[in-house]
Amino acid sequence: MLNIIKMDLYRLLKSKSAYVILMIIAAFMLLSVFMIENSIKVLKLENGQSNITGETSDAGDNSQNTNLGISYDGTALMKDHITLLDEFATMISSAILLLFTGIFTVLFVCGENNSGFIKNIVSCTKKRWYIILSKTVVMSVFVFIELIITLLMTGIGSSIFLDNFSLDISWKLFQYMGLQCLLHLAFAVIIIMVSVLTRNSAISMIISICLCSGLGSLIISYLSKLSINGNNVGAHLPDYLVTSNVQTLTSNPTSEISIRVILVFIIAMLVYNLISSLVMEKRDI
Amino acid sequence: MREYILKTNNLTKRYKKQKAVDNVSLNVEKGSIYGFIGRNGAGKTTFLKMISGLAEKTSGDIELFGHKGNEVKNVYDRIGVLIEAPGLYPNMTAFDNLKLKAICMGIYKKNYIREIIECVGLGMVGNKKVKNFSLGMKQRLGIGMALIGEPDLLVLDEPINGLDPQGIVDVRETIMKLNRERNITIIISSHILEELSKLVTHYGIIDQGSLVEELTKEELYEKCSERIEVALDEPEKACTILDSLKIHNYKVVNSKTIHIFERLEEVADINMEFSLNKIKISSIGVNKDNLEKYFMDLTGGVENA
């Protein structure tokens, strides 16, 4: 099993798409910091005007709504001192990193099927589910690198573009990063399953984009509002979705939310990896 | 005593209602080059996938290197596989593709990859990406991939399909070298029957999922060699006459046919001798089959080829 993990790590190392995606993430994060800074200035200006005219802002009241599409919520940055954690959390909650994670997962998993390379390794492995486990390990490495790059570029970008920024590296920052790492890995595991099931890059990519843009959460939210015999059985279902957790996880999560995130991660790892492994074991190559 | 590297017993693969492979029982001798012949959709690839562990069997047994049942899974890594197109990452070099499989098999020997590259005649490719390779180069690299881990059995599915004449010669020489120098048993399927006949020592002919015939090169040579074909009513009586003529190299094919493999130029004398002994001859003449005709006859003629 270690050999196949080593093989996939070597492939990751040699994968041009991995470097391209990481470079795009780096550039995107720098650009995003700059754009958010401009948005904040505009928001502050608008808020100032609305205070004068007596209008109220509803920016902070939309936490219960389901986000559709990839967008930044800059309201957390509307304060005098912005920390690295605030900026980092704003970046991650936009789900842009989730989108890149999904794209790379599809490229990595489907690449093996599309090229036919899987034929070379299936007979070398004692158990086929090692192949799935190996992909999960590689994706955990990739997600970790992604988050580190995001953190670095957010820090660098904020230092350059923000006047009221303080590079405050705290335990909370690492706690938030750890929880988001788990959620991104859980999402990667979902996309591994989709790629294994469909064996089609285009379909997997579309599903990945739909999930990142919140379409899945929207559907689940709608379904959860339907009641059966007067009982709203699925009312809390959206709270346990990977994508909605990525978007709603705050920079200062309570222990209850942290446990929920860990629970979501464990269940995703077990259920989706189990499905992928079963399909891989039974399927003819 | 003959040592068999692969034995299958009533191996069957069913897709819904259709049997792709139907009760195939064949034996592959150690050190042989086994030619697997069949038209498109005959079940060759499915059979090869089953014996390589790429596809599950529906029923039947596989015995690989003396291992049966669930133990077979433990010896799949002794098989090198090139089934359908070679499985290669197009954006990587030959070296990296080979290295990936070597890592997967836990092989880290110095110069191991270089030796494989040289062995399949790709020493000159350097850092060229696989996507820029010719079809022949890809096929040879595919064979190289199959060679990682020093397999005892090499399964090659249509390795010369789509190759130009030079490519065919290169692949043929590579295969023969591997069999001769490394004593690797090879199962090779192909449509190009004449080309196959230059390589193989044993034949298995499959049609509509069933194994029609299994024979050695010598047996096939005998069947396809030049001979006098006599169609007659009393083969027993004819045999006595042939013996009296001191013709011993003949074969009673069925109750109405005898094949004589010697003194082909004396067909008129033999015919006269039969007539003198009042044996009714329906036809007599010198005939020769090639592998293609033999295959056609066996699998139902031109319309099936």
Side-chain angles (χ1 to χ4, degrees), chain A residues 123-149:
Chain A
S123 53
C124 310
T125 52
K126 299 285 178 217
K127 306 265 185 218
R128 284 191 186 182
W129 61 266
Y130 292 171
I131 296 170
I132 301 295
L133 189 70
S134 168
K135 298 288 173 288
T136 309
V137 172
V138 168
M139 283 317 300
S140 65
V141 172
F142 184 77
V143 164
F144 183 72
I145 297 170
E146 264 185 340
L147 283 164
I148 294 288
I149 285 177

mmCIF file of all heavy atoms in Angstrom, chain A residues 123-149:
data_model
loop_
_atom_site.group_PDB
_atom_site.id
_atom_site.type_symbol
_atom_site.label_atom_id
_atom_site.label_comp_id
_atom_site.label_asym_id
_atom_site.label_seq_id
_atom_site.Cartn_x
_atom_site.Cartn_y
_atom_site.Cartn_z
ATOM 1 N N SER A 123 -3.123 -4.750 -11.273
ATOM 2 C CA SER A 123 -2.641 -6.103 -10.976
ATOM 3 C C SER A 123 -1.468 -6.102 -9.991
ATOM 4 O O SER A 123 -1.106 -7.146 -9.463
ATOM 5 C CB SER A 123 -2.264 -6.835 -12.263
ATOM 6 O OG SER A 123 -1.375 -6.062 -13.012
ATOM 7 N N CYS A 124 -0.869 -4.924 -9.768
ATOM 8 C CA CYS A 124 0.267 -4.853 -8.824
ATOM 9 C C CYS A 124 -0.194 -4.675 -7.389
ATOM 10 O O CYS A 124 0.598 -4.842 -6.463
ATOM 11 C CB CYS A 124 1.182 -3.679 -9.150
ATOM 12 S SG CYS A 124 1.665 -3.594 -10.841
ATOM 13 N N THR A 125 -1.443 -4.262 -7.223
ATOM 14 C CA THR A 125 -1.915 -3.991 -5.867
ATOM 15 C C THR A 125 -2.720 -5.190 -5.342
ATOM 16 O O THR A 125 -3.507 -5.776 -6.081
ATOM 17 C CB THR A 125 -2.827 -2.744 -5.837
ATOM 18 O OG1 THR A 125 -3.831 -2.914 -6.821
ATOM 19 C CG2 THR A 125 -2.070 -1.483 -6.124
ATOM 20 N N LYS A 126 -2.473 -5.519 -4.108
ATOM 21 C CA LYS A 126 -3.158 -6.677 -3.517
ATOM 22 C C LYS A 126 -4.655 -6.404 -3.362
ATOM 23 O O LYS A 126 -5.476 -7.273 -3.550
ATOM 24 C CB LYS A 126 -2.559 -7.013 -2.143
ATOM 25 C CG LYS A 126 -1.086 -7.381 -2.189
ATOM 26 C CD LYS A 126 -0.829 -8.767 -2.727
ATOM 27 C CE LYS A 126 0.659 -9.059 -2.801
ATOM 28 N NZ LYS A 126 1.025 -9.836 -3.968
ATOM 29 N N LYS A 127 -4.970 -5.162 -2.980
ATOM 30 C CA LYS A 127 -6.375 -4.748 -2.828
ATOM 31 C C LYS A 127 -6.582 -3.482 -3.650
ATOM 32 O O LYS A 127 -5.802 -2.538 -3.548
ATOM 33 C CB LYS A 127 -6.697 -4.427 -1.360
ATOM 34 C CG LYS A 127 -6.367 -5.547 -0.397
ATOM 35 C CD LYS A 127 -7.576 -6.396 -0.126
ATOM 36 C CE LYS A 127 -7.260 -7.441 0.938
ATOM 37 N NZ LYS A 127 -7.887 -8.710 0.675
ATOM 38 N N ARG A 128 -7.680 -3.469 -4.386
ATOM 39 C CA ARG A 128 -7.917 -2.306 -5.237
ATOM 40 C C ARG A 128 -8.251 -1.039 -4.440
ATOM 41 O O ARG A 128 -8.055 0.054 -4.930
ATOM 42 C CB ARG A 128 -9.050 -2.606 -6.210
ATOM 43 C CG ARG A 128 -8.642 -3.509 -7.347
ATOM 44 C CD ARG A 128 -9.749 -3.508 -8.351
ATOM 45 N NE ARG A 128 -9.499 -4.463 -9.415
ATOM 46 C CZ ARG A 128 -10.315 -4.622 -10.436
ATOM 47 N NH1 ARG A 128 -11.417 -3.911 -10.519
ATOM 48 N NH2 ARG A 128 -10.046 -5.495 -11.379
ATOM 49 N N TRP A 129 -8.803 -1.215 -3.246
ATOM 50 C CA TRP A 129 -9.170 -0.014 -2.480
ATOM 51 C C TRP A 129 -7.940 0.768 -2.028
ATOM 52 O O TRP A 129 -8.056 1.925 -1.636
ATOM 53 C CB TRP A 129 -10.111 -0.329 -1.320
ATOM 54 C CG TRP A 129 -9.591 -1.257 -0.261
ATOM 55 C CD1 TRP A 129 -9.776 -2.596 -0.202
ATOM 56 C CD2 TRP A 129 -8.818 -0.923 0.904
ATOM 57 N NE1 TRP A 129 -9.172 -3.118 0.913
ATOM 58 C CE2 TRP A 129 -8.581 -2.106 1.612
ATOM 59 C CE3 TRP A 129 -8.312 0.284 1.408
ATOM 60 C CZ2 TRP A 129 -7.849 -2.137 2.788
ATOM 61 C CZ3 TRP A 129 -7.579 0.249 2.590
ATOM 62 C CH2 TRP A 129 -7.355 -0.947 3.273
ATOM 63 N N TYR A 130 -6.760 0.167 -2.125
ATOM 64 C CA TYR A 130 -5.531 0.912 -1.845
ATOM 65 C C TYR A 130 -5.415 2.108 -2.798
ATOM 66 O O TYR A 130 -4.870 3.148 -2.446
ATOM 67 C CB TYR A 130 -4.293 0.030 -2.040
ATOM 68 C CG TYR A 130 -4.111 -1.092 -1.037
ATOM 69 C CD1 TYR A 130 -3.123 -2.055 -1.230
ATOM 70 C CD2 TYR A 130 -4.895 -1.181 0.106
ATOM 71 C CE1 TYR A 130 -2.937 -3.088 -0.324
ATOM 72 C CE2 TYR A 130 -4.711 -2.217 1.013
ATOM 73 C CZ TYR A 130 -3.729 -3.168 0.789
ATOM 74 O OH TYR A 130 -3.540 -4.191 1.683
ATOM 75 N N ILE A 131 -5.918 1.911 -4.024
ATOM 76 C CA ILE A 131 -5.833 2.976 -5.032
ATOM 77 C C ILE A 131 -6.635 4.198 -4.563
ATOM 78 O O ILE A 131 -6.185 5.333 -4.696
ATOM 79 C CB ILE A 131 -6.344 2.464 -6.404
ATOM 80 C CG1 ILE A 131 -5.422 1.343 -6.918
ATOM 81 C CG2 ILE A 131 -6.437 3.590 -7.434
ATOM 82 C CD1 ILE A 131 -5.931 0.601 -8.133
ATOM 83 N N ILE A 132 -7.808 3.943 -3.985
ATOM 84 C CA ILE A 132 -8.651 5.030 -3.483
ATOM 85 C C ILE A 132 -7.987 5.703 -2.273
ATOM 86 O O ILE A 132 -7.915 6.930 -2.190
ATOM 87 C CB ILE A 132 -10.054 4.499 -3.082
ATOM 88 C CG1 ILE A 132 -10.752 3.851 -4.289
ATOM 89 C CG2 ILE A 132 -10.923 5.590 -2.463
ATOM 90 C CD1 ILE A 132 -11.073 4.799 -5.417
ATOM 91 N N LEU A 133 -7.471 4.868 -1.399
ATOM 92 C CA LEU A 133 -6.814 5.399 -0.199
ATOM 93 C C LEU A 133 -5.619 6.274 -0.590
ATOM 94 O O LEU A 133 -5.395 7.348 -0.025
ATOM 95 C CB LEU A 133 -6.358 4.244 0.694
ATOM 96 C CG LEU A 133 -5.853 4.657 2.065
ATOM 97 C CD1 LEU A 133 -7.001 5.148 2.924
ATOM 98 C CD2 LEU A 133 -5.164 3.504 2.761
ATOM 99 N N SER A 134 -4.897 5.800 -1.594
ATOM 100 C CA SER A 134 -3.733 6.537 -2.067
ATOM 101 C C SER A 134 -4.132 7.914 -2.608
ATOM 102 O O SER A 134 -3.459 8.918 -2.333
ATOM 103 C CB SER A 134 -3.048 5.707 -3.149
ATOM 104 O OG SER A 134 -2.116 6.465 -3.819
ATOM 105 N N LYS A 135 -5.241 7.941 -3.342
ATOM 106 C CA LYS A 135 -5.715 9.232 -3.892
ATOM 107 C C LYS A 135 -6.097 10.173 -2.741
ATOM 108 O O LYS A 135 -5.851 11.374 -2.813
ATOM 109 C CB LYS A 135 -6.945 9.015 -4.789
ATOM 110 C CG LYS A 135 -6.692 8.150 -6.007
ATOM 111 C CD LYS A 135 -5.877 8.853 -7.050
ATOM 112 C CE LYS A 135 -5.513 7.913 -8.169
ATOM 113 N NZ LYS A 135 -4.507 6.894 -7.825
ATOM 114 N N THR A 136 -6.701 9.618 -1.697
ATOM 115 C CA THR A 136 -7.090 10.435 -0.543
ATOM 116 C C THR A 136 -5.852 11.033 0.132
ATOM 117 O O THR A 136 -5.848 12.213 0.494
ATOM 118 C CB THR A 136 -7.894 9.576 0.464
ATOM 119 O OG1 THR A 136 -8.940 8.924 -0.250
ATOM 120 C CG2 THR A 136 -8.496 10.409 1.569
ATOM 121 N N VAL A 137 -4.818 10.207 0.261
ATOM 122 C CA VAL A 137 -3.580 10.692 0.893
ATOM 123 C C VAL A 137 -2.967 11.825 0.055
ATOM 124 O O VAL A 137 -2.579 12.871 0.574
ATOM 125 C CB VAL A 137 -2.565 9.529 1.068
ATOM 126 C CG1 VAL A 137 -1.214 10.054 1.528
ATOM 127 C CG2 VAL A 137 -3.092 8.508 2.055
ATOM 128 N N VAL A 138 -2.928 11.601 -1.263
ATOM 129 C CA VAL A 138 -2.347 12.615 -2.151
ATOM 130 C C VAL A 138 -3.159 13.909 -2.083
ATOM 131 O O VAL A 138 -2.592 15.005 -2.019
ATOM 132 C CB VAL A 138 -2.288 12.087 -3.607
ATOM 133 C CG1 VAL A 138 -1.966 13.200 -4.583
ATOM 134 C CG2 VAL A 138 -1.231 11.006 -3.713
ATOM 135 N N MET A 139 -4.469 13.764 -2.049
ATOM 136 C CA MET A 139 -5.309 14.967 -1.994
ATOM 137 C C MET A 139 -5.130 15.699 -0.667
ATOM 138 O O MET A 139 -5.208 16.927 -0.630
ATOM 139 C CB MET A 139 -6.783 14.610 -2.209
ATOM 140 C CG MET A 139 -7.157 14.342 -3.661
ATOM 141 S SD MET A 139 -6.459 15.481 -4.872
ATOM 142 C CE MET A 139 -7.135 17.032 -4.321
ATOM 143 N N SER A 140 -4.870 14.952 0.406
ATOM 144 C CA SER A 140 -4.642 15.625 1.692
ATOM 145 C C SER A 140 -3.353 16.460 1.619
ATOM 146 O O SER A 140 -3.299 17.571 2.149
ATOM 147 C CB SER A 140 -4.593 14.612 2.839
ATOM 148 O OG SER A 140 -3.496 13.774 2.691
ATOM 149 N N VAL A 141 -2.350 15.922 0.926
ATOM 150 C CA VAL A 141 -1.100 16.674 0.749
ATOM 151 C C VAL A 141 -1.368 17.933 -0.085
ATOM 152 O O VAL A 141 -0.938 19.039 0.257
ATOM 153 C CB VAL A 141 -0.021 15.792 0.061
ATOM 154 C CG1 VAL A 141 1.212 16.613 -0.300
ATOM 155 C CG2 VAL A 141 0.354 14.633 0.971
ATOM 156 N N PHE A 142 -2.125 17.736 -1.170
ATOM 157 C CA PHE A 142 -2.408 18.861 -2.067
ATOM 158 C C PHE A 142 -3.222 19.943 -1.343
ATOM 159 O O PHE A 142 -2.917 21.132 -1.459
ATOM 160 C CB PHE A 142 -3.155 18.371 -3.312
ATOM 161 C CG PHE A 142 -3.392 19.451 -4.325
ATOM 162 C CD1 PHE A 142 -2.358 19.882 -5.154
ATOM 163 C CD2 PHE A 142 -4.626 20.068 -4.443
ATOM 164 C CE1 PHE A 142 -2.560 20.893 -6.073
ATOM 165 C CE2 PHE A 142 -4.843 21.087 -5.360
ATOM 166 C CZ PHE A 142 -3.805 21.490 -6.188
ATOM 167 N N VAL A 143 -4.236 19.522 -0.592
ATOM 168 C CA VAL A 143 -5.078 20.483 0.142
ATOM 169 C C VAL A 143 -4.234 21.258 1.156
ATOM 170 O O VAL A 143 -4.368 22.482 1.288
ATOM 171 C CB VAL A 143 -6.253 19.750 0.848
ATOM 172 C CG1 VAL A 143 -6.901 20.625 1.910
ATOM 173 C CG2 VAL A 143 -7.287 19.310 -0.173
ATOM 174 N N PHE A 144 -3.333 20.553 1.813
ATOM 175 C CA PHE A 144 -2.467 21.210 2.792
ATOM 176 C C PHE A 144 -1.597 22.273 2.107
ATOM 177 O O PHE A 144 -1.493 23.410 2.586
ATOM 178 C CB PHE A 144 -1.588 20.157 3.492
ATOM 179 C CG PHE A 144 -0.708 20.733 4.559
ATOM 180 C CD1 PHE A 144 -1.251 21.172 5.766
ATOM 181 C CD2 PHE A 144 0.657 20.870 4.364
ATOM 182 C CE1 PHE A 144 -0.437 21.722 6.755
ATOM 183 C CE2 PHE A 144 1.468 21.408 5.344
ATOM 184 C CZ PHE A 144 0.917 21.840 6.539
ATOM 185 N N ILE A 145 -1.016 21.901 0.957
ATOM 186 C CA ILE A 145 -0.174 22.865 0.217
ATOM 187 C C ILE A 145 -1.027 24.062 -0.236
ATOM 188 O O ILE A 145 -0.606 25.220 -0.116
ATOM 189 C CB ILE A 145 0.498 22.180 -1.006
ATOM 190 C CG1 ILE A 145 1.446 21.075 -0.530
ATOM 191 C CG2 ILE A 145 1.268 23.185 -1.851
ATOM 192 C CD1 ILE A 145 1.968 20.181 -1.630
ATOM 193 N N GLU A 146 -2.224 23.764 -0.725
ATOM 194 C CA GLU A 146 -3.147 24.823 -1.154
ATOM 195 C C GLU A 146 -3.392 25.836 -0.032
ATOM 196 O O GLU A 146 -3.326 27.047 -0.252
ATOM 197 C CB GLU A 146 -4.510 24.186 -1.478
ATOM 198 C CG GLU A 146 -4.770 23.854 -2.905
ATOM 199 C CD GLU A 146 -6.196 23.340 -3.065
ATOM 200 O OE1 GLU A 146 -6.828 22.903 -2.072
ATOM 201 O OE2 GLU A 146 -6.685 23.400 -4.175
ATOM 202 N N LEU A 147 -3.678 25.298 1.149
ATOM 203 C CA LEU A 147 -4.001 26.172 2.293
ATOM 204 C C LEU A 147 -2.788 26.996 2.715
ATOM 205 O O LEU A 147 -2.918 28.171 3.054
ATOM 206 C CB LEU A 147 -4.524 25.327 3.461
ATOM 207 C CG LEU A 147 -5.973 24.871 3.301
ATOM 208 C CD1 LEU A 147 -6.305 23.753 4.267
ATOM 209 C CD2 LEU A 147 -6.944 26.027 3.510
ATOM 210 N N ILE A 148 -1.622 26.346 2.682
ATOM 211 C CA ILE A 148 -0.395 27.077 3.042
ATOM 212 C C ILE A 148 -0.174 28.233 2.060
ATOM 213 O O ILE A 148 0.132 29.365 2.466
ATOM 214 C CB ILE A 148 0.833 26.116 3.037
ATOM 215 C CG1 ILE A 148 0.715 25.070 4.152
ATOM 216 C CG2 ILE A 148 2.155 26.885 3.128
ATOM 217 C CD1 ILE A 148 0.931 25.595 5.554
ATOM 218 N N ILE A 149 -0.337 27.938 0.761
ATOM 219 C CA ILE A 149 -0.141 28.977 -0.266
ATOM 220 C C ILE A 149 -1.179 30.090 -0.079
ATOM 221 O O ILE A 149 -0.839 31.283 -0.139
ATOM 222 C CB ILE A 149 -0.215 28.357 -1.680
ATOM 223 C CG1 ILE A 149 1.085 27.589 -1.935
ATOM 224 C CG2 ILE A 149 -0.433 29.426 -2.756
ATOM 225 C CD1 ILE A 149 1.149 26.873 -3.234
#
